[in-house]
Amino acid sequence: MVKGYYVAAFGGPEVMVWESLDLGDLAPGDVRVRVGASGINFAETRMRAGDYSGQELPFVMGMEVAGTIESVGAGVTGFREGDRVFGRVRGAHAEVVDCDPDHLMLLPDNLSFAQGAAIPVGWLTAWHALYTVGRMKVLFRSVFLRLLPLLRVT
């Protein structure tokens, strides 16, 4: 058994309970990640309060994860046990979480788990702002990608 922040009723922080979770067998096509860090976002406060569109009870808190793959489900390619990964997954505020590998990326060696867990939602928000709202075109994307190496993590 692993533990995670389980929410059975909407409300304030007091409804988050650190309790045992039964993950069961790993589903084909998923990977199981030992959580090294998980990100905290404003949307999670709305989920917990019950005013985030489509959030159903019960659920495990968390939307961003960074950690180490413990096991790989049947049919998964591109990842193996021991890989350091980060990505977006519901239920990340736990010791272990099952993930769709399409929402994971390998975590570069120069980034910590805390840094990796801070990326996914912010990155997706920026992408949405650029492409969906701002209607970024290929030319702008090309310029943006050329500037990206100048943004280095130290």
Side-chain angles (χ1 to χ4, degrees):
M1 286 288 214
V2 299
K3 290 192 170 190
Y5 278 106
Y6 186 80
V7 176
F10 294 124
E14 70 281 355
V15 303
M16 299 184 306
V17 179
W18 185 250
E19 67 178 54
S20 295
L21 307 171
D22 182 6
L23 295 179
D25 293 332
L26 181 63
D30 281 351
V31 296
R32 185 160 284 170
V33 174
R34 170 69 53 180
V35 177
S38 59
I40 299 174
N41 298 281
F42 178 72
E44 293 171 82
T45 65
R46 306 305 354 125
M47 289 175 185
R48 187 199 66 233
D51 56 5
Y52 191 85
S53 178
Q55 182 61 56
E56 296 180 10
L57 292 171
F59 67 97
V60 177
M61 297 286 293
M63 296 173 62
E64 298 173 297
V65 69
T68 306
I69 293 181
E70 283 193 342
S71 54
V72 177
V76 173
T77 59
F79 293 103
R80 62 177 182 233
E81 290 180 24
D83 281 348
R84 288 171 18 102
V85 295
F86 72 109
R88 188 166 188 275
V89 61
R90 294 283 177 102
H93 294 335
E95 295 171 324
V96 175
V97 64
D98 290 350
C99 305
D100 177 340
D102 288 341
H103 298 269
L104 293 176
M105 293 172 275
L106 293 173
L107 182 65
D109 289 337
N110 66 326
L111 294 181
S112 69
F113 287 137
Q115 289 169 320
I119 294 171
V121 171
W123 178 84
L124 285 170
T125 301
W127 184 90
H128 176 71
L130 291 170
Y131 287 92
T132 306
V133 178
R135 297 190 174 112
M136 181 182 254
K137 303 293 183 220
V138 175
L139 174 64
F140 296 119
R141 180 178 181 271
S142 176
V143 171
F144 177 75
L145 290 176
R146 288 175 193 242
L147 293 174
L148 194 57
L150 300 176
L151 306 172
R152 297 184 190 204
V153 176
T154 57

